Amino acid sequence: MFTTRPELAGTFGMVASTHWLASSAGMAILERGGNAFDAAAAAAFTLHVCEPHMNGPGGEVPAIFVTADDPTPRVLCGQGVAPAAATTARFRDLGLDVVPGTGLLAATVPGALGAWLTLLRDHGTMPLREVLDAAIGYAEHGHPVVQAVVDTIGTVAELFTAHWPSSARLWLPTPKAGDLVRNPALAETYRRLLREAEAAGPDREAQLEAARRAWYEGFVAEAIDAFCRTEVIDDSGRHHTGLLTGADLAAWRPGYEPTVSMDAFGWQVHKVGAWSQGPVLLQQLAMLEAMGDLPGPATAAQLHRVVEVAKLAFADRDATYGDGADLTAVLDPAYAAERAKLVDETAGPALRNGLGRLPKYVLEGGTAPLGLGIGEPTLGGSGGTLQDPEPPQYRRGEPFVSRWGTTRGDTCHLDVADRWGNVISATPSGGWLQSSPTIESLGFCLGTRAQMFWLEEDLPNTLAPGKRPRTTLSPSFATKEGVQLSFGTPGGDQQDQWQLVFFLNHAVHGMNLQEAIDSPTWHTTAFASSFYPRATGTQLLVEDRVGEAVDELRRRGHDVLTVDPWSLGRMSAVSRNLETGLLRAGANARAQQGYAVGR
């Protein structure tokens, strides 16, 4: 089949990510003798600079990895927790039914830096100065800004000018695609981090611990604490101060934990646990396997079956997932077989959970405030004013952004494998330039991941102090007969739908990594969105390359929206053959940013 570029193959190292500069930065570290974890951190810090609409230092990251010494996949949790002051009563007192998707109220402890520093300390080999080198250079001297960043800034320019002046001073006037964009404050933040680290002496581990303290107990925490005491407008249309404090940052640590795994189609597939949406991939695979032979790729029969199991799995996600939830019952193969029986030849309804209970907000169709009368904030285009309604618009696979900064699915992904046997899949996200005002002295903004909590009591994902939100971030890892496969994508609620299509293409239909990525994809919106204002959709979005399948899907009762032929998904993947040492990689051509490099 046609592919946009070849599947890469080699034995030295592979880096695949959602931006070519990050992939190149990671590969440069491998060339200088660093391992996969050094390279992944370098790529991630570069993504903070080059995809600021997709992630930042104020965001979070989950990762799944194996080491050369231990082939058992493990999770690195870089998802920060809710502040000590974040209670459901506090939000009810503010007259809110859901957590706003922008501003300061939705901030959790920024976990990304802590996670990368912890990974470098425990499994990396290179000094922090070398790992940060590319990111500092691009922030200080500039990087050529991509069109997606330009579009995002243009969309929220009025918000910045009218309400978030610190963001306006950093990002306006809106640049043109290809312009060199600098962030000197972020460069100085990283330089100061290095100064604090190197003041601890020559020991590498001591330097990394000093950097962590500077971030979570020192100058970064102090700046975040002070900034959160100011009132800023959010997409509720009102001004609120933040709840996050320096004490919240000082109390938090990243950690390691086991994966959640399942055997499916001859592979063992590993995901992050119940504080992510990751297990929905396992649920979908279990139901599909229970249904017998899978129809051919991108056919109406396959699309129908895959979409129907997705609707069932995501309904269970919203009823049963949350930090600390027990997913034993929902991942039971017998339960999957019973759920699979609900799939027939026509489109089924949304919101059919089999266990647990859905939030009342979902069942009753709750509607959150939408700024100052803006229309659908998650279905945004560019231009216009804060008061204009915004029609749905899919372009180049980019997520939606409203003029109030409301967004869904802004994320990055990276996969790295080295010649020694270290492999990592990571999905950095949060701290988006459009969703929270810039902390001017630091050069970045806070995340808004707390919008994924529910404010209704006694749900697995009910907001509570010190709790992780049930995030959409969902790296993947799979093993089979001496092969390790690392893969993932941005895309919010779509991540484990797009990843499912990729995995079936590769694992069941025998496509190579690049073919599996380039093949047409799709997703459904027929479940509660994880992003403010938490709406439930109806549409099945399909890249129009599927052709005649669309008519059959409509005949089966699906609400089909055909979109641009290369507009859904931003997958990347690497694999490693344990016997031969052969490494392979592929990356997504959609959005014209993702690249794999290696040799």
Side-chain angles (χ1 to χ4, degrees), residues 171-199:
W171 299 111
L172 298 180
T174 304
K176 297 182 179 64
D179 286 353
L180 285 178
V181 171
R182 301 171 62 246
N183 189 342
L186 180 57
E188 177 54 29
T189 295
Y190 284 153
R191 288 194 183 282
R192 184 171 176 183
L193 198 68
L194 283 175
R195 291 195 295 271
E196 301 248 2
E198 292 172 351

PDB file of all heavy atoms in Angstrom, residues 171-199:
ATOM      1  N   TRP A 171       3.332  35.929  23.119  1.00  0.00           N
ATOM      2  CA  TRP A 171       2.937  35.296  21.860  1.00  0.00           C
ATOM      3  C   TRP A 171       2.440  36.258  20.786  1.00  0.00           C
ATOM      4  O   TRP A 171       2.351  35.858  19.625  1.00  0.00           O
ATOM      5  CB  TRP A 171       1.871  34.241  22.125  1.00  0.00           C
ATOM      6  CG  TRP A 171       2.347  33.147  23.016  1.00  0.00           C
ATOM      7  CD1 TRP A 171       1.959  32.890  24.292  1.00  0.00           C
ATOM      8  CD2 TRP A 171       3.338  32.158  22.708  1.00  0.00           C
ATOM      9  NE1 TRP A 171       2.627  31.804  24.809  1.00  0.00           N
ATOM     10  CE2 TRP A 171       3.482  31.335  23.844  1.00  0.00           C
ATOM     11  CE3 TRP A 171       4.116  31.888  21.582  1.00  0.00           C
ATOM     12  CZ2 TRP A 171       4.360  30.266  23.892  1.00  0.00           C
ATOM     13  CZ3 TRP A 171       4.991  30.816  21.624  1.00  0.00           C
ATOM     14  CH2 TRP A 171       5.109  30.022  22.765  1.00  0.00           C
ATOM     15  N   LEU A 172       2.123  37.485  21.140  1.00  0.00           N
ATOM     16  CA  LEU A 172       1.616  38.424  20.137  1.00  0.00           C
ATOM     17  C   LEU A 172       2.669  39.454  19.779  1.00  0.00           C
ATOM     18  O   LEU A 172       3.519  39.792  20.624  1.00  0.00           O
ATOM     19  CB  LEU A 172       0.354  39.114  20.672  1.00  0.00           C
ATOM     20  CG  LEU A 172      -0.835  38.192  20.978  1.00  0.00           C
ATOM     21  CD1 LEU A 172      -2.018  39.013  21.496  1.00  0.00           C
ATOM     22  CD2 LEU A 172      -1.239  37.365  19.755  1.00  0.00           C
ATOM     23  N   PRO A 173       2.632  40.020  18.556  1.00  0.00           N
ATOM     24  CA  PRO A 173       1.659  39.722  17.494  1.00  0.00           C
ATOM     25  C   PRO A 173       1.818  38.284  16.974  1.00  0.00           C
ATOM     26  O   PRO A 173       2.899  37.702  17.068  1.00  0.00           O
ATOM     27  CB  PRO A 173       1.982  40.731  16.407  1.00  0.00           C
ATOM     28  CG  PRO A 173       3.421  41.077  16.626  1.00  0.00           C
ATOM     29  CD  PRO A 173       3.631  41.017  18.111  1.00  0.00           C
ATOM     30  N   THR A 174       0.735  37.754  16.450  1.00  0.00           N
ATOM     31  CA  THR A 174       0.737  36.378  15.959  1.00  0.00           C
ATOM     32  C   THR A 174       1.817  36.196  14.900  1.00  0.00           C
ATOM     33  O   THR A 174       1.862  36.939  13.918  1.00  0.00           O
ATOM     34  CB  THR A 174      -0.633  36.029  15.354  1.00  0.00           C
ATOM     35  OG1 THR A 174      -1.644  36.253  16.335  1.00  0.00           O
ATOM     36  CG2 THR A 174      -0.666  34.571  14.916  1.00  0.00           C
ATOM     37  N   PRO A 175       2.711  35.222  15.070  1.00  0.00           N
ATOM     38  CA  PRO A 175       3.759  35.013  14.073  1.00  0.00           C
ATOM     39  C   PRO A 175       3.202  34.374  12.815  1.00  0.00           C
ATOM     40  O   PRO A 175       2.048  33.935  12.762  1.00  0.00           O
ATOM     41  CB  PRO A 175       4.715  34.058  14.790  1.00  0.00           C
ATOM     42  CG  PRO A 175       3.839  33.296  15.733  1.00  0.00           C
ATOM     43  CD  PRO A 175       2.781  34.257  16.194  1.00  0.00           C
ATOM     44  N   LYS A 176       4.025  34.329  11.800  1.00  0.00           N
ATOM     45  CA  LYS A 176       3.715  33.595  10.571  1.00  0.00           C
ATOM     46  C   LYS A 176       4.434  32.248  10.618  1.00  0.00           C
ATOM     47  O   LYS A 176       5.493  32.116  11.241  1.00  0.00           O
ATOM     48  CB  LYS A 176       4.143  34.382   9.331  1.00  0.00           C
ATOM     49  CG  LYS A 176       3.429  35.708   9.136  1.00  0.00           C
ATOM     50  CD  LYS A 176       3.916  36.367   7.857  1.00  0.00           C
ATOM     51  CE  LYS A 176       3.189  37.692   7.613  1.00  0.00           C
ATOM     52  NZ  LYS A 176       3.494  38.696   8.678  1.00  0.00           N
ATOM     53  N   ALA A 177       3.859  31.260   9.948  1.00  0.00           N
ATOM     54  CA  ALA A 177       4.492  29.945   9.905  1.00  0.00           C
ATOM     55  C   ALA A 177       5.908  30.072   9.345  1.00  0.00           C
ATOM     56  O   ALA A 177       6.127  30.729   8.319  1.00  0.00           O
ATOM     57  CB  ALA A 177       3.678  28.989   9.052  1.00  0.00           C
ATOM     58  N   GLY A 178       6.858  29.470  10.025  1.00  0.00           N
ATOM     59  CA  GLY A 178       8.251  29.534   9.603  1.00  0.00           C
ATOM     60  C   GLY A 178       9.051  30.630  10.279  1.00  0.00           C
ATOM     61  O   GLY A 178      10.289  30.611  10.210  1.00  0.00           O
ATOM     62  N   ASP A 179       8.370  31.594  10.933  1.00  0.00           N
ATOM     63  CA  ASP A 179       9.089  32.623  11.679  1.00  0.00           C
ATOM     64  C   ASP A 179       9.860  31.990  12.833  1.00  0.00           C
ATOM     65  O   ASP A 179       9.416  30.995  13.428  1.00  0.00           O
ATOM     66  CB  ASP A 179       8.122  33.660  12.259  1.00  0.00           C
ATOM     67  CG  ASP A 179       7.560  34.605  11.219  1.00  0.00           C
ATOM     68  OD1 ASP A 179       8.010  34.557  10.061  1.00  0.00           O
ATOM     69  OD2 ASP A 179       6.666  35.400  11.585  1.00  0.00           O
ATOM     70  N   LEU A 180      10.988  32.584  13.181  1.00  0.00           N
ATOM     71  CA  LEU A 180      11.707  32.147  14.366  1.00  0.00           C
ATOM     72  C   LEU A 180      11.021  32.722  15.597  1.00  0.00           C
ATOM     73  O   LEU A 180      10.879  33.942  15.734  1.00  0.00           O
ATOM     74  CB  LEU A 180      13.167  32.605  14.314  1.00  0.00           C
ATOM     75  CG  LEU A 180      14.089  31.844  13.357  1.00  0.00           C
ATOM     76  CD1 LEU A 180      15.484  32.458  13.385  1.00  0.00           C
ATOM     77  CD2 LEU A 180      14.156  30.369  13.734  1.00  0.00           C
ATOM     78  N   VAL A 181      10.592  31.870  16.474  1.00  0.00           N
ATOM     79  CA  VAL A 181       9.904  32.264  17.697  1.00  0.00           C
ATOM     80  C   VAL A 181      10.796  31.931  18.887  1.00  0.00           C
ATOM     81  O   VAL A 181      11.324  30.826  18.989  1.00  0.00           O
ATOM     82  CB  VAL A 181       8.540  31.552  17.820  1.00  0.00           C
ATOM     83  CG1 VAL A 181       7.913  31.791  19.180  1.00  0.00           C
ATOM     84  CG2 VAL A 181       7.607  32.020  16.726  1.00  0.00           C
ATOM     85  N   ARG A 182      10.958  32.894  19.782  1.00  0.00           N
ATOM     86  CA  ARG A 182      11.821  32.723  20.939  1.00  0.00           C
ATOM     87  C   ARG A 182      10.997  32.745  22.223  1.00  0.00           C
ATOM     88  O   ARG A 182       9.924  33.341  22.276  1.00  0.00           O
ATOM     89  CB  ARG A 182      12.886  33.828  20.984  1.00  0.00           C
ATOM     90  CG  ARG A 182      13.783  33.872  19.767  1.00  0.00           C
ATOM     91  CD  ARG A 182      14.664  35.133  19.769  1.00  0.00           C
ATOM     92  NE  ARG A 182      15.554  35.182  20.924  1.00  0.00           N
ATOM     93  CZ  ARG A 182      15.486  36.084  21.895  1.00  0.00           C
ATOM     94  NH1 ARG A 182      14.540  37.028  21.856  1.00  0.00           N
ATOM     95  NH2 ARG A 182      16.339  36.068  22.894  1.00  0.00           N
ATOM     96  N   ASN A 183      11.529  32.133  23.256  1.00  0.00           N
ATOM     97  CA  ASN A 183      10.940  32.191  24.587  1.00  0.00           C
ATOM     98  C   ASN A 183      12.079  32.362  25.590  1.00  0.00           C
ATOM     99  O   ASN A 183      12.479  31.411  26.276  1.00  0.00           O
ATOM    100  CB  ASN A 183      10.139  30.916  24.881  1.00  0.00           C
ATOM    101  CG  ASN A 183       9.333  31.014  26.169  1.00  0.00           C
ATOM    102  OD1 ASN A 183       9.597  31.868  27.022  1.00  0.00           O
ATOM    103  ND2 ASN A 183       8.368  30.133  26.323  1.00  0.00           N
ATOM    104  N   PRO A 184      12.634  33.582  25.674  1.00  0.00           N
ATOM    105  CA  PRO A 184      13.810  33.785  26.522  1.00  0.00           C
ATOM    106  C   PRO A 184      13.563  33.503  27.994  1.00  0.00           C
ATOM    107  O   PRO A 184      14.477  33.082  28.709  1.00  0.00           O
ATOM    108  CB  PRO A 184      14.172  35.261  26.287  1.00  0.00           C
ATOM    109  CG  PRO A 184      12.955  35.878  25.677  1.00  0.00           C
ATOM    110  CD  PRO A 184      12.253  34.800  24.945  1.00  0.00           C
ATOM    111  N   ALA A 185      12.326  33.721  28.475  1.00  0.00           N
ATOM    112  CA  ALA A 185      12.045  33.442  29.889  1.00  0.00           C
ATOM    113  C   ALA A 185      12.155  31.950  30.181  1.00  0.00           C
ATOM    114  O   ALA A 185      12.683  31.551  31.230  1.00  0.00           O
ATOM    115  CB  ALA A 185      10.659  33.964  30.260  1.00  0.00           C
ATOM    116  N   LEU A 186      11.664  31.116  29.278  1.00  0.00           N
ATOM    117  CA  LEU A 186      11.792  29.673  29.475  1.00  0.00           C
ATOM    118  C   LEU A 186      13.252  29.245  29.396  1.00  0.00           C
ATOM    119  O   LEU A 186      13.709  28.398  30.181  1.00  0.00           O
ATOM    120  CB  LEU A 186      10.960  28.921  28.439  1.00  0.00           C
ATOM    121  CG  LEU A 186      11.006  27.392  28.528  1.00  0.00           C
ATOM    122  CD1 LEU A 186      10.567  26.909  29.910  1.00  0.00           C
ATOM    123  CD2 LEU A 186      10.150  26.758  27.436  1.00  0.00           C
ATOM    124  N   ALA A 187      14.004  29.829  28.460  1.00  0.00           N
ATOM    125  CA  ALA A 187      15.432  29.519  28.380  1.00  0.00           C
ATOM    126  C   ALA A 187      16.129  29.850  29.696  1.00  0.00           C
ATOM    127  O   ALA A 187      16.945  29.064  30.201  1.00  0.00           O
ATOM    128  CB  ALA A 187      16.071  30.290  27.223  1.00  0.00           C
ATOM    129  N   GLU A 188      15.795  30.992  30.287  1.00  0.00           N
ATOM    130  CA  GLU A 188      16.408  31.381  31.552  1.00  0.00           C
ATOM    131  C   GLU A 188      15.954  30.469  32.696  1.00  0.00           C
ATOM    132  O   GLU A 188      16.740  30.161  33.597  1.00  0.00           O
ATOM    133  CB  GLU A 188      16.085  32.839  31.872  1.00  0.00           C
ATOM    134  CG  GLU A 188      16.612  33.332  33.218  1.00  0.00           C
ATOM    135  CD  GLU A 188      18.111  33.105  33.421  1.00  0.00           C
ATOM    136  OE1 GLU A 188      18.881  33.079  32.429  1.00  0.00           O
ATOM    137  OE2 GLU A 188      18.521  32.932  34.589  1.00  0.00           O
ATOM    138  N   THR A 189      14.684  30.031  32.662  1.00  0.00           N
ATOM    139  CA  THR A 189      14.222  29.081  33.676  1.00  0.00           C
ATOM    140  C   THR A 189      15.060  27.812  33.641  1.00  0.00           C
ATOM    141  O   THR A 189      15.504  27.305  34.683  1.00  0.00           O
ATOM    142  CB  THR A 189      12.737  28.740  33.454  1.00  0.00           C
ATOM    143  OG1 THR A 189      11.948  29.909  33.665  1.00  0.00           O
ATOM    144  CG2 THR A 189      12.267  27.646  34.394  1.00  0.00           C
ATOM    145  N   TYR A 190      15.297  27.291  32.445  1.00  0.00           N
ATOM    146  CA  TYR A 190      16.108  26.078  32.333  1.00  0.00           C
ATOM    147  C   TYR A 190      17.567  26.350  32.706  1.00  0.00           C
ATOM    148  O   TYR A 190      18.226  25.495  33.317  1.00  0.00           O
ATOM    149  CB  TYR A 190      16.008  25.511  30.923  1.00  0.00           C
ATOM    150  CG  TYR A 190      14.711  24.795  30.624  1.00  0.00           C
ATOM    151  CD1 TYR A 190      14.216  24.717  29.324  1.00  0.00           C
ATOM    152  CD2 TYR A 190      13.979  24.180  31.629  1.00  0.00           C
ATOM    153  CE1 TYR A 190      13.029  24.051  29.039  1.00  0.00           C
ATOM    154  CE2 TYR A 190      12.799  23.521  31.358  1.00  0.00           C
ATOM    155  CZ  TYR A 190      12.325  23.458  30.064  1.00  0.00           C
ATOM    156  OH  TYR A 190      11.154  22.800  29.791  1.00  0.00           O
ATOM    157  N   ARG A 191      18.087  27.522  32.343  1.00  0.00           N
ATOM    158  CA  ARG A 191      19.471  27.853  32.715  1.00  0.00           C
ATOM    159  C   ARG A 191      19.608  27.960  34.238  1.00  0.00           C
ATOM    160  O   ARG A 191      20.589  27.492  34.826  1.00  0.00           O
ATOM    161  CB  ARG A 191      19.904  29.155  32.045  1.00  0.00           C
ATOM    162  CG  ARG A 191      20.143  29.032  30.547  1.00  0.00           C
ATOM    163  CD  ARG A 191      20.878  30.245  30.000  1.00  0.00           C
ATOM    164  NE  ARG A 191      21.053  30.164  28.576  1.00  0.00           N
ATOM    165  CZ  ARG A 191      21.978  29.424  27.964  1.00  0.00           C
ATOM    166  NH1 ARG A 191      22.805  28.684  28.688  1.00  0.00           N
ATOM    167  NH2 ARG A 191      22.068  29.422  26.651  1.00  0.00           N
ATOM    168  N   ARG A 192      18.621  28.592  34.879  1.00  0.00           N
ATOM    169  CA  ARG A 192      18.675  28.701  36.341  1.00  0.00           C
ATOM    170  C   ARG A 192      18.558  27.322  36.978  1.00  0.00           C
ATOM    171  O   ARG A 192      19.217  27.039  37.986  1.00  0.00           O
ATOM    172  CB  ARG A 192      17.562  29.617  36.840  1.00  0.00           C
ATOM    173  CG  ARG A 192      17.622  29.840  38.336  1.00  0.00           C
ATOM    174  CD  ARG A 192      16.671  30.905  38.805  1.00  0.00           C
ATOM    175  NE  ARG A 192      16.698  31.020  40.260  1.00  0.00           N
ATOM    176  CZ  ARG A 192      15.917  31.836  40.975  1.00  0.00           C
ATOM    177  NH1 ARG A 192      15.042  32.625  40.346  1.00  0.00           N
ATOM    178  NH2 ARG A 192      15.993  31.860  42.294  1.00  0.00           N
ATOM    179  N   LEU A 193      17.742  26.470  36.390  1.00  0.00           N
ATOM    180  CA  LEU A 193      17.632  25.096  36.890  1.00  0.00           C
ATOM    181  C   LEU A 193      18.993  24.413  36.842  1.00  0.00           C
ATOM    182  O   LEU A 193      19.389  23.710  37.778  1.00  0.00           O
ATOM    183  CB  LEU A 193      16.612  24.335  36.053  1.00  0.00           C
ATOM    184  CG  LEU A 193      16.041  23.040  36.639  1.00  0.00           C
ATOM    185  CD1 LEU A 193      15.167  23.333  37.846  1.00  0.00           C
ATOM    186  CD2 LEU A 193      15.239  22.291  35.574  1.00  0.00           C
ATOM    187  N   LEU A 194      19.723  24.628  35.744  1.00  0.00           N
ATOM    188  CA  LEU A 194      21.062  24.054  35.625  1.00  0.00           C
ATOM    189  C   LEU A 194      22.019  24.638  36.655  1.00  0.00           C
ATOM    190  O   LEU A 194      22.831  23.909  37.244  1.00  0.00           O
ATOM    191  CB  LEU A 194      21.608  24.297  34.214  1.00  0.00           C
ATOM    192  CG  LEU A 194      21.057  23.408  33.108  1.00  0.00           C
ATOM    193  CD1 LEU A 194      21.607  23.847  31.756  1.00  0.00           C
ATOM    194  CD2 LEU A 194      21.414  21.949  33.356  1.00  0.00           C
ATOM    195  N   ARG A 195      21.939  25.940  36.885  1.00  0.00           N
ATOM    196  CA  ARG A 195      22.826  26.558  37.875  1.00  0.00           C
ATOM    197  C   ARG A 195      22.573  25.968  39.263  1.00  0.00           C
ATOM    198  O   ARG A 195      23.517  25.669  40.010  1.00  0.00           O
ATOM    199  CB  ARG A 195      22.627  28.081  37.894  1.00  0.00           C
ATOM    200  CG  ARG A 195      23.136  28.780  36.633  1.00  0.00           C
ATOM    201  CD  ARG A 195      23.266  30.274  36.844  1.00  0.00           C
ATOM    202  NE  ARG A 195      21.983  30.936  37.079  1.00  0.00           N
ATOM    203  CZ  ARG A 195      21.203  31.424  36.125  1.00  0.00           C
ATOM    204  NH1 ARG A 195      21.571  31.307  34.848  1.00  0.00           N
ATOM    205  NH2 ARG A 195      20.077  32.032  36.420  1.00  0.00           N
ATOM    206  N   GLU A 196      21.311  25.810  39.601  1.00  0.00           N
ATOM    207  CA  GLU A 196      20.971  25.234  40.909  1.00  0.00           C
ATOM    208  C   GLU A 196      21.435  23.779  40.984  1.00  0.00           C
ATOM    209  O   GLU A 196      21.901  23.314  42.028  1.00  0.00           O
ATOM    210  CB  GLU A 196      19.461  25.324  41.131  1.00  0.00           C
ATOM    211  CG  GLU A 196      18.923  26.747  41.079  1.00  0.00           C
ATOM    212  CD  GLU A 196      18.415  27.235  42.421  1.00  0.00           C
ATOM    213  OE1 GLU A 196      18.524  26.484  43.405  1.00  0.00           O
ATOM    214  OE2 GLU A 196      17.927  28.368  42.472  1.00  0.00           O
ATOM    215  N   ALA A 197      21.278  23.045  39.873  1.00  0.00           N
ATOM    216  CA  ALA A 197      21.692  21.649  39.860  1.00  0.00           C
ATOM    217  C   ALA A 197      23.201  21.526  40.025  1.00  0.00           C
ATOM    218  O   ALA A 197      23.696  20.726  40.839  1.00  0.00           O
ATOM    219  CB  ALA A 197      21.239  20.991  38.566  1.00  0.00           C
ATOM    220  N   GLU A 198      23.960  22.290  39.257  1.00  0.00           N
ATOM    221  CA  GLU A 198      25.415  22.149  39.248  1.00  0.00           C
ATOM    222  C   GLU A 198      26.058  22.709  40.509  1.00  0.00           C
ATOM    223  O   GLU A 198      27.194  22.352  40.846  1.00  0.00           O
ATOM    224  CB  GLU A 198      25.970  22.794  37.987  1.00  0.00           C
ATOM    225  CG  GLU A 198      25.568  21.998  36.732  1.00  0.00           C
ATOM    226  CD  GLU A 198      25.909  22.677  35.431  1.00  0.00           C
ATOM    227  OE1 GLU A 198      26.311  23.867  35.466  1.00  0.00           O
ATOM    228  OE2 GLU A 198      25.771  22.025  34.371  1.00  0.00           O
ATOM    229  N   ALA A 199      25.309  23.550  41.242  1.00  0.00           N
ATOM    230  CA  ALA A 199      25.812  24.027  42.531  1.00  0.00           C
ATOM    231  C   ALA A 199      25.861  22.913  43.564  1.00  0.00           C
ATOM    232  O   ALA A 199      26.532  23.042  44.606  1.00  0.00           O
ATOM    233  CB  ALA A 199      24.929  25.166  43.045  1.00  0.00           C
TER     234      ALA A 199
END
